[in-house]
Every structure is written in C-alpha cells, then in structure tokens.
Amino acid sequence: MAGATLTPYLPDQRHDLGGRFADGNRPPQLTTTVPREYVHRTAVSEVFLTNWRAGDDGWVVSAQWPRAHTFYGPAHGLHDPLLLIETIRQAGILLSHVAHRVPLDHQIIWQRVRYDLAPQALRATEQPAEVALHITDHDLVHRGTRLVSVRQEFRIVCDGADLASATLLYSCHSPAVYRRLRGAYSDLALANSRKVPLPEAVAPQLVARERARDVVLSPTDRPDRWQLRVDTSHPVLFDHPVDHTPGMLMVEAARQAAQAATPGFTVPASMDCAFERYAELDAPSWVEARTTGRTDGDRRQIEVAVEQHGKPVVSAQIACVPTA
C-alpha cells in the first residue's frame, strides 16, 4: 500500500518517454538517479533507479544497488532480497508517471507483489550491482484517459545474470478519491498523533537483524505470534510521513516472521504478498507465521498473516532457503 502525495509535474517538466540519456550520450563520468518525486521518495539516497527506456514489448528500467545500505544491506555475502521488492516498487511508480501519465499527487496502492528469485544471483561483489528490470504491462484499466489499475510482469537481471521474475498489481487514486476512501484517516497529522506506543523489539538475532531499531516484531506470549512494531521515526521504512503502515514495512514483517519461524539464516527465495486493507497507526497489528509442512527440495514454505481488529491486512507465502 505504498503511496505519497507530491507536487504534480508540469507538462514541460516531464521526461522523454524514451528514457533519460536514451540516445546513449550519458556522460560516462556522471552517475544519476531518476527524480526522487517519480518514485515517491524524499531522500535521494533511497532512490535506486537510474534510467528508463522503451523496450521491444514494454519497458526497461535500470537500477543500481549499493554495496552497503543502512537497512537493506548485504548479509552472508548476499544482497537483501527485499531490496528487489523496493526496486520493483520504485519501477512501478516510475512507469505510472512517465509511461501512463499518472499525476504525482495520485496515490499508488498495492494489491499484490510477488517474486521468485535465484539466490545465487544475489551474490554481492566489491562493486555496486547493476540491475535491469524488463517490464510489460497487462490488464490495464482506464477511466477515460486516466489509468486506474495495472498488472506489471518483471524479468530481472542482476550483473548480467537472470535474477528473478516478479509481478506487481496496483491501482491509482486521485486525491479526492483517496480522501473518500480513507475518511478521517486521510488527515495525516491526525493519523500520526494517534499512533500506538512503540512496543519492545524481539532479539535482533531472531530475525537476522543487527540493530533493535530495524526489528519490526514485538514478542507476545506465543512464539509464532508478534505485535507489529511501527516506528514512524525509522528513516527508511518511513522515508516520509504517511497516514498508515507502509507496504514495505508489512513485507519486512513477513520476512522477519518467516526468519523467526525457521532455524539458521535463510533467504526468502520467493514471496507472494496480497494486501487486503490498510493497517492504521492507531491500533496494534498482529503477525503470525505458520510452517505449512510442504517442502520443495531445501525450501521451507511459510505462511504469514497480518491482521488488525481481527481482520486480515496482509497475507504472504514465503519459501525460505538456508544459506550454505
């Protein structure tokens, strides 16, 4: 349920749909990112996309993953798989604006995000990773000329090797529609003033984290159930103020719950997350993990559910693979 409210661009501020530097004349000594507004980020350091261009049957979006990141940093010699989801998120938002002319003040709301990756292709090196996302649009729905929803399919290459396939399904909402949808919760200041106190974190090593600040689960009296920790001061998960719990925090909670439910350090080789409704800041959310018992080779299948007020918010199916 990623979204943001940003100043709309003017027609003469739009970038050529062929892509930035699509003529091949990018100065080789320069490194740049796409405009941060186009991926709904405030901090330039959190923008991973560097270019876009039209492809044979869709779009090609380029990205660069840093050798180190304060939150999505490499572990056990592998890039963080959730860096892949954040890159997919940014690519979907970027194309909504530059390809489909969705104004920047519209909300982009997730319905589903999924990936299936080859863990060996996540191997980190001494250089930043160069990532190419080959994207095709499907099931486009318009209201007049305005995009309402789309399903995007991804083929993703990292440093020249096939990394993953992925799917992103999202809808686009004007400010007026979003206010009607959210009601009183659309008041950003009011929503944040009512947030629940931040509960204690589980031990960071339980969820393969180094710092308590990056832990999004709080213990309960059950080992398979946690309260969601929503730290609105977190500089990455809350890059800018929002009126609800961000989608990427929900994905991180699913990953941490799956890690807590499996022994040793594991990589989420596949994730499939469905978003049912918003998680509000004024009430606790609860996270549960269940091992399904199904295995595929060395993969362990975990189901994670997030609920609030007894209603489902997010459901996730995750396949965890142990590292060598």
Side-chain angles (χ1 to χ4, degrees), residues 47-255:
V47 180
F48 302 123
L49 307 187
T50 57
N51 196 10
W52 74 87
R53 61 178 175 84
D56 293 337
D57 58 354
W59 304 92
V60 180
V61 175
S62 301
Q64 187 180 81
W65 290 350
R67 295 171 58 192
H69 187 268
T70 58
F71 188 72
Y72 298 117
H76 293 253
L78 301 176
H79 287 291
D80 188 336
L82 266 61
L83 193 56
L84 174 64
I85 292 189
E86 172 60 19
T87 306
I88 290 168
R89 184 198 75 83
Q90 292 188 17
I93 295 176
L94 171 73
L95 291 180
S96 77
H97 298 314
V98 302
H100 300 293
R101 301 304 193 191
V102 174
L104 288 181
D105 65 347
H106 281 42
Q107 295 283 338
I108 307 299
I109 300 176
W110 281 358
Q111 276 74 54
R112 182 189 180 201
V113 62
R114 134 210 104 85
Y115 71 75
D116 192 355
L117 61 80
Q120 65 272 16
L122 288 172
R123 188 68 57 188
T125 69
E126 295 182 356
Q127 301 296 325
E130 300 295 336
V131 180
L133 302 94
H134 301 263
I135 306 167
T136 55
D137 294 327
H138 304 268
D139 303 333
L140 289 95
V141 177
H142 291 85
R143 183 173 295 117
T145 60
R146 185 62 50 79
L147 179 68
V148 174
S149 64
V150 62
R151 172 173 59 88
Q152 293 178 324
E153 298 291 338
F154 295 72
R155 181 176 66 84
I156 302 163
V157 176
C158 181
D159 289 334
D162 287 337
L163 171 62
S165 64
T167 300
L168 178 64
L169 176 62
Y170 61 84
S171 57
C172 311
H173 301 271
S174 69
V177 169
Y178 185 75
R179 285 193 296 270
R180 291 197 298 271
L181 175 68
R182 297 289 289 139
Y185 286 109
S186 66
D187 186 323
L188 185 62
L190 181 61
N192 278 268
S193 70
R194 295 177 174 178
K195 62 188 177 185
V196 299
L198 186 66
E200 66 175 311
V202 301
Q205 59 268 27
L206 179 67
V207 293
R209 282 293 183 180
E210 296 182 354
R211 299 174 298 184
R213 185 175 192 181
D214 294 334
V215 174
V216 299
L217 302 180
S218 179
T220 69
D221 57 359
R222 285 172 44 186
D224 61 347
R225 188 173 191 262
W226 306 268
Q227 182 178 345
L228 185 68
R229 295 186 78 241
V230 183
D231 181 1
T232 59
S233 70
H234 195 283
V236 176
L237 294 173
F238 284 85
D239 167 78
H240 54 273
V242 291
D243 59 36
H244 59 275
T245 303
M248 285 304 297
L249 193 154
M250 294 295 192
V251 174
E252 177 65 24
R255 184 259 289 276

Side-chain angles (χ1 to χ4, degrees), residues 296-315:
D296 179 11
D298 58 355
R299 294 189 175 200
R300 177 172 294 191
Q301 303 291 330
I302 308 293
E303 292 183 353
V304 178
V306 183
E307 60 91 14
Q308 188 178 62
H309 299 304
K311 297 180 179 180
V313 175
V314 178
S315 60

Side-chain angles (χ1 to χ4, degrees), residues 81 115-117 119 258 262 266-272 294-296 298-303 316-322:
Y115 71 75
D116 192 355
L117 61 80
T262 55
T266 61
V267 174
S270 71
M271 293 186 72
D272 192 344
R294 298 192 303 272
T295 58
D296 179 11
D298 58 355
R299 294 189 175 200
R300 177 172 294 191
Q301 303 291 330
I302 308 293
E303 292 183 353
Q317 287 75 45
I318 304 172
C320 295
V321 177

